[in-house]
Amino acid sequence: MNAEPLPTEPARVATEPARVATEPVRAEPVRFDTKIAVLLREDLEPWQRLNVTAFLVSGIGPSVPEVIGEPYEDADGTGYLPMFRQPVLVFQGTKETLTAAHARVLSRALPRALFTSDLFTTGNDRDNRAAVRAVPTAELDLVGLAVYGPRNAVDKVLKGARMHP
């Protein structure tokens, strides 16, 4: 068989200087199908808001391992712990808003963590669990609630809450 030679194109010469990537690549924002949210009672002191938020989100990761990303490493190879793979949104509301959100999260059976006012007086995990166990569900003095689940379901749980300033 005689193969015909393929046509050749003249070499192309770059007319613009090569660009060096100095600007970060702007990717489309990632939209998650799920949401991690914390709802705080609006009358908490600033230190209490931070403390309650930290405690609440610590319950989500171990119970819902798919929300945890990969470990971090800096340019020198120093390793760091993995964190949530998506943002945690923090909301606030009245005591009544929190009570209603608690009822809705229970009815939807979503993964949740709670913090009651009694936990400000305890100093360890054993006493924290005992303080919650001592109070019936309807009588819990809630100061914080964390929830994870499908975006729409979490939005319904948080109805009436507003973003934390």
Side-chain angles (χ1 to χ4, degrees):
M1 268 202 260
N2 267 344
E4 293 186 33
L6 294 173
T8 58
E9 292 184 345
R12 299 193 179 190
V13 177
T15 57
E16 293 183 16
R19 294 185 184 197
V20 177
T22 56
E23 294 182 25
V25 176
R26 301 205 190 274
E28 291 295 316
V30 175
R31 294 271 302 161
F32 293 96
D33 295 336
T34 58
K35 185 181 271 188
I36 301 171
V38 172
L39 174 57
L40 302 172
R41 202 165 75 192
E42 64 188 5
D43 61 350
L44 297 178
E45 294 293 325
W47 73 267
Q48 291 174 317
R49 291 172 187 253
L50 295 171
N51 183 269
V52 170
T53 300
F55 269 91
L56 288 172
V57 297
S58 74
I60 300 287
S63 301
V64 190
E66 64 268 20
V67 300
I68 303 297
E70 295 296 320
Y72 286 74
E73 185 176 291
D74 65 26
D76 295 324
T78 304
Y80 302 93
L81 295 173
M83 296 186 284
F84 289 128
R85 65 180 180 83
Q86 66 189 88
V88 175
L89 302 173
V90 181
F91 296 82
Q92 68 178 11
T94 63
K95 183 175 183 173
E96 294 76 21
T97 302
L98 202 55
T99 300
H102 183 242
R104 288 191 291 266
V105 77
L106 293 177
S107 73
R108 286 174 171 76
L110 296 171
R112 69 238 173 222
L114 63 78
F115 199 103
T116 67
S117 63
D118 296 328
L119 302 186
F120 289 126
T121 63
T122 60
N124 61 72
D125 187 52
R126 183 193 67 232
D127 292 341
N128 286 349
R129 285 183 282 110
V132 172
R133 181 175 288 284
V135 180
T137 303
E139 296 175 26
L140 291 168
D141 185 18
L142 298 168
V143 298
L145 181 69
V147 60
Y148 170 77
R151 252 193 343 239
N152 291 346
V154 172
D155 289 343
K156 288 176 182 173
V157 165
L158 298 175
K159 183 178 178 187
R162 60 191 181 283
M163 287 296 291
H164 189 280

